[in-house]
Amino acid sequence: KRQDGSPTYSFLTALSGGIFNIVFDYIFIGQLHMGITGAALATFLGLLLSFIMGVVYFVTHPNFLHFTFRGLSIKEAFHSMINGTSEFVNQLAIAITTVVFNRSALLFAGEDGVAAVSIIMYLLSTPLGYAYGDRNFSVCRVLEKYAYRFFAIAPIILYGCTYLLAPIGVYFFASPGSTVFDMAISGLRLYGLGFLFSGINIFAAIRMMTYGKGYISGMITFLRSFALLLLFLTVLPRFLELNGIWLAVPAAEILTLIVALWTLRKKTVA
């Protein structure tokens, strides 16, 4: 929808699902005492709302983008699927690693650890595509230059805010002085170290996907959000216990950074 001239509708679609999820979390868990079942149901209904709004848009607003089978090329369809590998791997990895996070936290810190993980997870396409498709490589270079500057500064500011504001963020989910409260603050500050490296990794993946190098983008995403993350979630807790869980993400981001920097050195525009 953003590419179809309706960025506001795109924003409202994502926002509505999120707000719906939050409101029904309160209703199902806080008022109806449905526990984890209520949380899952609220999440499902929030996603369903966003999905329905997306379908309604394509049915009622046939602008530049619309569903059709006319002129479909198997070759182009396959290329599009390969280029979307990064997003597929990312979504798959989120589902699997969330389960691993919770199981590891449950093993080392019980239900309080799972609660702390949930809090941290909650708190936590660029114009390049158009310019590259239009063969306007000078614009691509300018946008990349701005991106490098942004990711050299923004992660430091983001981590600083995460470190300083961690108690405020956790306060909305846990009572001060409780085991979960202290655990979540400590974990958030360790987990947030990944912000210092994730920016470049994410940009490298987006950059390669935008330039039609979906297989490289998928490799970066697979490493940072799946393979290396699962590796460190398995290994680090054995030595660092609960802190190993929080540090799994920063460790995965650091190793992925090596690959990301290699891809950023590759010239993709003239």
Side-chain angles (χ1 to χ4, degrees), residues 10-52:
S10 175
F11 170 74
L12 290 176
T13 299
L15 182 65
S16 298
I19 293 178
F20 192 91
N21 188 0
I22 293 172
V23 171
F24 277 85
D25 268 339
Y26 172 74
I27 294 175
F28 291 152
I29 301 174
Q31 300 300 314
L32 301 180
H33 307 291
M34 295 175 63
I36 192 66
T37 301
L41 182 58
T43 299
F44 170 75
L45 292 177
L47 293 172
L48 180 62
L49 175 62
S50 296
F51 170 75
I52 292 175

Side-chain angles (χ1 to χ4, degrees), residues 183-201:
M183 191 182 299
I185 291 177
S186 175
L188 188 59
R189 286 170 172 170
L190 292 175
Y191 185 98
L193 288 170
F195 293 151
L196 298 174
F197 313 98
S198 62
I200 290 295
N201 293 336

Side-chain angles (χ1 to χ4, degrees), residues 55 90 102 160 184 200 216-217 249 266:
V55 172
N90 188 51
N102 287 338
I200 290 295
I216 298 180
S217 176
V249 168
K266 297 174 66 70

Side-chain angles (χ1 to χ4, degrees), residues 108-121:
F108 289 99
E111 293 182 356
D112 287 343
V114 175
V117 169
S118 299
I119 293 171
I120 292 172
M121 298 296 275

